[in-house]
Amino acid sequence: MTLRLHDTLSGETRPLEPLEPGHVRIYSCGPTVYGPTHIGNFRSFLFADVLVRYLRYQGLRVTWVMNITDIDDRIIERANAAGETTAQLTDRWLAQFKSDFAAVRMTPPDVLPRATEHIDAMAELIAQLLESGNAYRTEDGSIFFRISSWPAYGRLARLDATQLRVGERVEADDYGKDDVRDFALWKGPKPGDPSWETGIGPGRPGWHIECSAMSMRHLGLSFDIHTGGIDLIFPHHEDEIAQSEAVTGQPFVRTWLHCDHLRLGGAKMARRVGNIARVADLLAEGTSPRALRYALISVNYRQALEYSEASIDAATAAIARLDALVAALEAYREGRADAEDLPDELSAARTRFEAAMDDDLNVSAALAALFDLVRELNRRIADRTLSSGDAVRALALLRELDTVLGILPDQAEDLPPGAAELLATRVAARAGRDWAASDRIRDELLALGIAVEDTRDGQRWRRLEAVR
RNA sequence: GGCGACGUGGUGAAGUGGUUCAACACGGAGGUCUGCAAAACCUCUAUUCACCGGUUCGAAUCCGGUCGUCGCCUCCA
């Protein structure tokens, strides 16, 4: 079975067949770095991350590109308001973004192209669109894409161009278009705005053209997968298709994947609504980054997902259950023959996990397979029916599946200062049946965030995930 | 006004015609184990899948309608 994905453009769920066999090229619409990236944005990035991880788990080569929008109206506004350059502002928020995505274990994209470093590529595309008659210039030096020149416009969003509600919000950004539906490729120079000198004249790029330019430069004129939030279908991705295909004459993207919204309080998480949560804030409040990741990826990307404290609490508990099993397997020692039926158990779990992921990234079902295995392994640990080698093999499978999910504890965890001594002292106290000392030290370790458990495999410890 | 998604237990959620059809996680109740704990395991926690009607031998799953929620219609992940 191979990975089947739901393509927005065709509306079909179909097998992924990379243009170049064995090599998948993916472009993800990334953040506009004018402020902190909220966890709704991160849901869409993490779904792409899981996709990339799963493809690599399957042995495929993946080239993953995520753009950084570092020039747009909001950036200019904020930089001017703060009395700094747009570069200073965007550098700062890009650093924050990188710090946030590392915290939630997002795989670093292979390329994080910045819009301002691809102005030339955008200008070239626009020049070709002018030449072909798909674009026109206005008096202030702006350049617009002429929608009437592109009959397929509206296919992705399933919008009938003649039915659009025109005239409600189009005045604000009016640069003298021929048709209100036309969108800006290039914005003519304005006092106080950053401006670039290019072959198509001075000014700055529109938003949509940057993704066409950067994706084609880094991935080719046609590539396999383009991801983004559901709210980017229109107009952003619709515009990308029009301007890209008008230039190249070939299909821009093979598979469009769109992630539904993260909600908070029943409404789409959005800055405009004011119901946003930020990664750094949540972590500062004591939320476990792994639990946050779990909460954001554990539901299929095409389902709307409600974020709440309860969802984080549930995720924290689920993570703790996995941590406990990992600690138990690491500590497990039993001199006995290998369990005959364990290999079948493990391979069945793997098969179920993969079948779920193959089904358009059904993470919920994949987690069900994982947790069924967790229960089975816990059972066998309690029964002492595993050999030491069995425990090693079981743990290896968990680690392998976790290359896709990214939710297990790190391999090498350092103890906080003093903890190693306390653990050793406690072992000695227990040997002398000094329960008072044993319990006191257990409390001290707990205060350090270390949970101690006494088992047949001896004293076992694990780091507690932060809880609010 | 146009287009689209969704509505499963206390909560999140899998399941899209019938072999446990109600996974899995969290939460709750009881029990086992343990110096005490913790962790773990076991049992229980939806005769039911928004509502109404239809198709079918058979539907959470297909069709029609009703109600409700959310989103998009050029700032939006």
Side-chain angles (χ1 to χ4, degrees), chain A residues 22 98 112 115 143 147 168 177 246 251 334 341 354 358 360 420 428:
Chain A
K98 288 179 175 174
L112 279 170
I143 300 172
I147 293 207
E168 293 192 0
K177 312 185 228 183
E334 191 67 48
D341 53 348
E354 292 178 0
D358 282 338
D360 197 28

Side-chain angles (χ1 to χ4, degrees), chain A residues 75-76 78-90 92-93:
Chain A
I75 290 172
I76 294 167
R78 297 209 173 199
N80 287 342
E84 59 185 344
T85 65
T86 55
Q88 287 169 329
L89 180 88
T90 56
R92 202 169 65 244
W93 287 113

Side-chain angles (χ1 to χ4, degrees), chain A residues 112 119 164 166 196 205 217 226 268 339 354 364 367 434-435 458:
Chain A
L112 279 170
I119 303 289
L164 297 186
V166 169
W196 283 262
R217 170 154 299 184
H226 194 312
K268 164 188 173 182
E354 292 178 0
S364 300
L367 284 169
D434 182 353
W435 306 129

Side-chain angles (χ1 to χ4, degrees), chain A residues 144-203:
Chain A
F144 289 88
F145 185 90
R146 191 186 307 280
I147 293 207
S148 60
S149 74
W150 194 252
Y153 194 80
R155 240 178 86 214
L156 181 72
R158 291 174 172 70
L159 284 176
D160 179 348
T162 63
Q163 292 290 99
L164 297 186
R165 260 183 147 172
V166 169
E168 293 192 0
R169 303 196 303 202
V170 293
E171 303 305 325
D173 195 37
D174 195 338
Y175 288 74
K177 312 185 228 183
D178 284 2
D179 183 324
V180 288
R181 298 170 303 142
D182 291 345
F183 61 89
L185 295 163
W186 188 257
K187 301 188 178 186
K190 285 200 295 191
D193 278 15
S195 181
W196 283 262
E197 291 298 332
T198 69
I200 53 172

